[in-house]
Amino acid sequence: MNLLNSENILLFSFALIVIAFLYSSVGHGGASGYLALMSIFAFPVSIMKPSALLLNLFVSSISFLFYYKNNYFKPKLFYPFAIASIPAAFVGGFITLDNAIYKIVLGIVLVFAALRLFGVFNFKEKEEVKINLPFALAIGFAIGLLSGMLGIGGGIILSPILLFLGWASVKESAAVSSLFIFVNSTAGMLGFFLGGKTIPMESFYLVPIAVVGGMLGGFYGSGSFSNRTLKMVLGTVILMASVKLIFP
């Protein structure tokens, strides 16, 4: 990985495993965390987006398998969002934002991700409410478009919405979000490819590192795992990265 010197490789790898572990434990692919980490280590924007999408594919699929195995996945919660988000993420994958605009928009999304880890959007479970189909389609489209443009899966946005509206329990939202992230990342990647771009070789070096964290996180998260201290640390790191992106 020629983007990092030998002194930083171990630190970066350890941080990547921790991010994949924590995000996978709550049904997320971890793109917002990966993007924050790559920003801190001064990765170029041309590598950040495809790398985040690629890692999302692996980690979100692993997380979904664990939650599905434990019977938390509810198809009726997934389809309305996916129907609208998949084509939107595909279109978003075509869009290449100016570097300065990309960093500002990503920085704003990372603030949201950090607040999510701090527990600001950890809404309590409500009595199950019937899903509003038109509203769900609109939410799916908006998240999908943003996901494709930035290289995120959108689960960091979808899961608190599901909880706030009372459409899912914590574990159900994690299961739905993990598959939602996978399909959005796939659509975004297809749009990225059809836009004439390729995945840098450096991106593939990150996959086995993230998979280790993703497998551990999916296993423990689908059970009863919770680690508030690590989430606070990760949230602080992401918040610092967002400030760096918005105010270079």
Side-chain angles (χ1 to χ4, degrees):
M1 196 184 309
N2 56 17
L3 293 172
L4 302 174
N5 59 43
S6 56
E7 296 177 357
N8 287 332
I9 288 178
L10 287 177
L11 178 60
F12 179 89
S13 299
F14 175 75
L16 183 60
I17 288 175
V18 171
I19 290 170
F21 174 83
L22 288 175
Y23 275 80
S24 178
S25 70
V26 293
H28 294 167
S32 56
Y34 309 141
L35 289 168
L37 182 63
M38 287 185 279
S39 172
I40 290 172
F41 280 85
F43 277 54
V45 171
S46 60
I47 291 180
M48 289 171 63
K49 178 177 176 178
S51 296
L53 286 171
L54 182 65
L55 297 181
N56 253 6
L57 290 175
F58 284 90
V59 176
S60 63
S61 61
I62 291 170
S63 180
F64 172 72
L65 289 175
F66 278 105
Y67 276 96
Y68 181 82
K69 182 180 178 181
N70 285 279
N71 298 315
Y72 289 117
F73 179 64
K74 297 178 69 173
K76 69 178 182 180
L77 283 174
F78 170 73
Y79 295 129
F81 298 102
I83 288 171
S85 70
I86 291 174
F90 178 77
V91 172
F94 271 103
I95 300 173
T96 300
L97 299 175
D98 175 80
N99 282 1
I101 296 175
Y102 176 88
K103 289 181 178 180
I104 291 173
V105 176
L106 175 59
I108 293 171
V109 172
L110 291 183
V111 170
F112 185 94
L115 294 176
R116 173 82 168 88
L117 288 167
F118 289 146
V120 174
F121 302 109
N122 287 351
F123 303 107
K124 293 181 179 180
E125 294 182 19
K126 300 179 180 179
E127 184 176 346
E128 187 172 338
V129 177
K130 184 178 180 181
I131 191 169
N132 182 312
L133 183 58
F135 191 26
L137 291 171
I139 292 171
F141 180 87
I143 297 177
L145 186 63
L146 183 64
S147 299
M149 287 192 296
L150 297 181
I152 63 174
I156 198 74
I157 303 173
L158 178 63
S159 57
I161 290 176
L162 290 173
L163 293 173
F164 175 71
L165 295 175
W167 290 349
S169 68
V170 172
K171 298 287 187 180
E172 289 168 351
S173 70
V176 169
S177 293
S178 58
L179 186 57
F180 180 80
I181 290 166
F182 178 82
V183 297
N184 278 341
S185 298
T186 300
M189 188 70 81
L190 289 175
F192 183 80
F193 284 142
L194 292 178
K197 306 176 191 69
T198 58
I199 301 177
M201 184 57 65
E202 290 87 351
S203 301
F204 292 98
Y205 298 155
L206 308 178
V207 171
I209 303 172
V211 164
V212 171
M215 291 184 68
L216 292 172
F219 176 77
Y220 287 105
S222 60
S224 57
F225 173 78
S226 176
N227 194 321
R228 182 171 176 77
T229 301
L230 284 177
K231 289 181 180 180
M232 293 297 102
V233 172
L234 178 57
T236 301
V237 170
I238 290 177
L239 192 58
M240 291 170 59
S242 69
V243 172
K244 180 181 177 181
L245 286 166
I246 299 173
F247 306 104

